[in-house]
Amino acid sequence: MHVLVIAVLALTLAGTTVRSAVAGTPVVATAATVFCGIFVQALPFLVLGVLISGLVAAVVTPERLTRWVPHHPAAAVVVAGVSGAALPGCECGSVPIARRLYSDGAVGAAAVTFMLAAPAINPVVLVATAVAFPGEPAMVFARCAASFLTALTVGALWIRFGQPRWITRKMPDLHAHGGSRWAVFTEAARHDFLQAASFLVLGAAAAALLHIVVPSWMYDHLAGHLILGIAVMALLAVVLSLCSEADAFVAASLSMLPLLPRLVFLVVGPAVDLKLFAMQVGMFGRAFAVRFAPLTFVVATLMASGVGLLIVGNR
């Protein structure tokens, strides 16, 4: 927070100088326009998402979620997937909740299903996708369907092949220091906002650079080779590590690519990326993360490609 305040003050004081430098350089002006367009569009949804996420953290405890999960593995996976749609929040918040579910005796497959479903198919993310892709309702439906199928498929595979011994990290007692619901709400919202906004800035900056650095013939090449475009966008989603409440605006800015590779970007990103891998190592353990991340990447890419071909086609 201190770094954020200092940076805002410094940019405010240097605003006139920076504005003159940007206006006098067409390439930088183009990048700045793309960056500001993405950030300004995404920010309201980001704020709404972190406020709801903080409310969920304060009211819906992991212990309460555990009591709602059925004991039958298959039923638990379905319930966890559906409940993810009802609990808005980014992937940064879903990982600790899923870890708490796992440690409190809930079916492990339900925990990983919730971790994949919650940041991908909740109402805030879907509305943001609809705003980012006006006139393309198929993108919203395709993202929801592909992400939901990804969560259910990984959960089903975890029932068959998952091993509790892969979970090597223990969760601390969250109630050891007490604290009111208001304190939990403000801390969760503050943490999620700073975490998500920082990655939004990086993602918007990366999209702006792609507009001015990558030559247009390369996008034409990717557009003409569907499999290559899908692979590149899937890897880009992992590297950029965007928040699911803002990634649709970055994907929409890459209008030089067909819808299908951009759909893959939107499905893979909330399921597996670098920051999620680091969080999963810290909360579940390395043995879990090195198995879960590749599995999720393959399933998410295949589901997004299959659903995308059926719904949005190659356009």
Side-chain angles (χ1 to χ4, degrees):
M1 182 64 75
H2 294 92
V3 174
L4 175 63
V5 172
I6 292 173
V8 170
L9 290 175
L11 289 173
T12 301
L13 294 174
T16 302
T17 303
V18 173
R19 184 168 58 250
S20 299
V22 170
T25 311
V27 174
V28 178
T30 300
T33 301
V34 174
F35 174 86
C36 292
I38 295 172
F39 189 82
V40 171
Q41 272 193 306
L43 190 60
F45 294 96
L46 186 61
V47 172
L48 176 62
V50 299
L51 289 177
I52 298 177
S53 178
L55 184 63
V56 169
V59 177
V60 184
T61 63
E63 291 77 10
R64 185 172 298 172
L65 283 175
T66 302
R67 292 195 297 269
W68 295 344
V69 175
H71 294 290
H72 190 277
V77 165
V78 175
V79 170
V82 174
S83 65
L87 296 177
C90 69
E91 54 270 34
C92 302
S94 67
V95 174
I97 293 178
R99 180 63 186 93
R100 181 63 58 176
L101 281 171
Y102 214 123
S103 65
D104 282 342
V107 179
V112 299
T113 301
F114 175 86
M115 183 165 59
L116 295 175
I121 63 174
N122 69 69
V124 175
V125 169
L126 297 182
V127 171
T129 305
V131 173
F133 290 89
E136 294 288 352
M139 281 293 287
V140 182
F141 181 73
R143 180 179 192 178
C144 181
S147 297
F148 187 65
L149 289 175
T150 297
L152 293 184
T153 302
V154 173
L157 291 173
W158 204 258
I159 293 175
R160 177 66 179 83
F161 301 106
Q163 298 292 331
R165 58 185 173 83
W166 294 339
I167 311 299
T168 58
R169 293 296 183 94
K170 302 296 183 182
M171 286 290 287
D173 184 5
L174 297 179
H175 303 288
H177 304 290
S180 64
R181 287 186 175 181
W182 173 252
V184 173
F185 166 77
T186 54
E187 177 60 23
R190 182 195 65 82
H191 172 272
D192 287 356
F193 178 77
L194 291 178
Q195 183 90 352
S198 62
F199 285 104
L200 172 59
V201 169
L202 294 177
L209 286 175
L210 289 175
H211 273 77
I212 62 173
V213 173
V214 180
S216 59
W217 64 263
M218 188 171 293
Y219 291 113
D220 295 335
H221 183 72
L222 289 177
H225 294 76
L226 187 60
I227 296 178
L228 179 60
I230 289 173
V232 169
M233 291 302 287
L235 292 174
L236 191 63
V238 174
V239 173
L240 289 185
S241 302
L242 296 179
C243 174
S244 61
E245 291 156 358
D247 59 0
F249 298 95
V250 176
S253 72
L254 302 176
S255 56
M256 65 290 293
L257 294 176
L259 290 178
L260 180 55
R262 288 187 281 170
L263 174 65
V264 173
F265 178 87
L266 295 178
V267 175
V268 172
V272 54
D273 59 33
L274 294 180
K275 76 174 184 299
L276 281 176
F277 180 80
M279 293 179 68
Q280 289 163 4
V281 169
M283 293 197 169
F284 288 88
R286 185 177 299 275
F288 171 89
V290 297
R291 292 169 172 84
F292 184 77
L295 170 66
T296 305
F297 179 81
V298 172
V299 172
T301 303
L302 292 177
M303 288 296 172
S305 301
V307 171
L309 285 173
L310 291 175
I311 297 177
V312 301
N314 184 19
R315 59 187 179 90

